[in-house]
Coordinates of all heavy atoms in Angstrom, one line a residue:
Chain Q
V36 N -51.3 -20.0 42.1 CA -51.9 -21.3 41.7 C -52.6 -22.0 42.8 O -52.5 -21.7 44.0 CB -50.7 -22.2 41.2 CG1 -50.1 -21.5 39.9 CG2 -49.8 -22.6 42.2
Q37 N -53.4 -23.0 42.4 CA -54.1 -23.8 43.4 C -53.2 -25.0 43.7 O -52.4 -25.5 42.9 CB -55.4 -24.3 42.8 CG -56.5 -23.2 42.6 CD -57.2 -22.9 44.0 OE1 -57.3 -23.7 44.8 NE2 -57.4 -21.7 44.2
E38 N -53.2 -25.5 44.9 CA -52.5 -26.6 45.3 C -52.8 -27.8 44.3 O -53.9 -28.0 43.8 CB -52.9 -27.1 46.7 CG -52.1 -28.2 47.3 CD -52.5 -28.6 48.7 OE1 -53.4 -27.9 49.2 OE2 -51.9 -29.5 49.2
G39 N -51.6 -28.4 43.9 CA -51.7 -29.5 42.9 C -51.5 -29.1 41.5 O -51.2 -29.9 40.6
D40 N -51.6 -27.8 41.2 CA -51.3 -27.3 39.9 C -49.9 -27.2 39.7 O -49.1 -27.3 40.6 CB -51.9 -25.9 39.7 CG -53.5 -25.9 39.5 OD1 -54.1 -27.0 39.4 OD2 -54.1 -24.8 39.6
S41 N -49.5 -26.9 38.4 CA -48.1 -26.7 38.0 C -47.8 -25.2 37.9 O -48.7 -24.4 37.8 CB -47.7 -27.4 36.7 OG -47.9 -28.8 36.7
A42 N -46.5 -24.9 38.2 CA -46.1 -23.6 38.0 C -44.8 -23.6 37.1 O -44.0 -24.4 37.4 CB -45.8 -22.9 39.4
V43 N -44.8 -22.4 36.3 CA -43.6 -22.3 35.5 C -43.2 -20.9 35.6 O -43.9 -20.0 35.4 CB -43.9 -22.6 34.0 CG1 -42.6 -22.4 33.2 CG2 -44.4 -24.1 33.9
I44 N -41.8 -20.7 35.8 CA -41.2 -19.3 35.9 C -40.1 -19.3 34.9 O -39.2 -20.2 34.8 CB -40.7 -19.0 37.3 CG1 -41.8 -19.3 38.4 CG2 -40.1 -17.7 37.4 CD1 -41.3 -19.2 39.8
K45 N -40.1 -18.2 34.2 CA -39.0 -18.1 33.1 C -38.1 -17.0 33.4 O -38.4 -16.0 33.9 CB -39.8 -17.8 31.8 CG -38.9 -17.7 30.5 CD -39.8 -17.5 29.3 CE -39.0 -17.5 28.0 NZ -39.8 -17.2 26.8
C46 N -36.8 -17.2 33.0 CA -35.8 -16.3 33.3 C -35.0 -16.1 31.9 O -34.6 -17.1 31.3 CB -34.8 -16.8 34.3 SG -33.4 -15.8 34.6
T47 N -34.9 -14.9 31.4 CA -34.2 -14.6 30.3 C -32.9 -13.8 30.6 O -32.9 -13.0 31.6 CB -35.0 -13.7 29.2 OG1 -35.4 -12.6 29.8 CG2 -36.2 -14.5 28.8
Y48 N -31.9 -14.0 29.9 CA -30.6 -13.4 30.2 C -30.0 -12.9 28.9 O -30.3 -13.3 27.7 CB -29.7 -14.3 30.9 CG -29.4 -15.6 30.2 CD1 -28.2 -15.7 29.4 CD2 -30.2 -16.8 30.2 CE1 -27.9 -16.9 28.8 CE2 -29.9 -17.9 29.6 CZ -28.7 -18.0 28.8 OH -28.4 -19.1 28.1
S49 N -29.0 -12.0 29.0 CA -28.4 -11.4 27.9 C -27.0 -11.9 27.5 O -26.7 -11.8 26.3 CB -28.4 -9.8 28.0 OG -27.6 -9.5 29.2
D50 N -26.3 -12.4 28.5 CA -24.9 -12.7 28.2 C -24.8 -14.2 27.7 O -25.0 -15.1 28.4 CB -24.1 -12.5 29.5 CG -22.6 -12.5 29.3 OD1 -22.1 -13.1 28.2 OD2 -21.9 -12.0 30.1
S51 N -24.4 -14.3 26.5 CA -24.3 -15.6 25.9 C -23.2 -16.4 26.4 O -23.1 -17.7 26.2 CB -24.1 -15.5 24.3 OG -23.0 -14.7 24.0

Side-chain angles (χ1 to χ4, degrees):
Chain Q
V36 299
Q37 290 284 322
E38 184 177 359
D40 287 350
S41 295
V43 181
I44 304 169
K45 185 175 178 180
C46 180
T47 59
Y48 60 94
S49 60
D50 193 338
S51 56

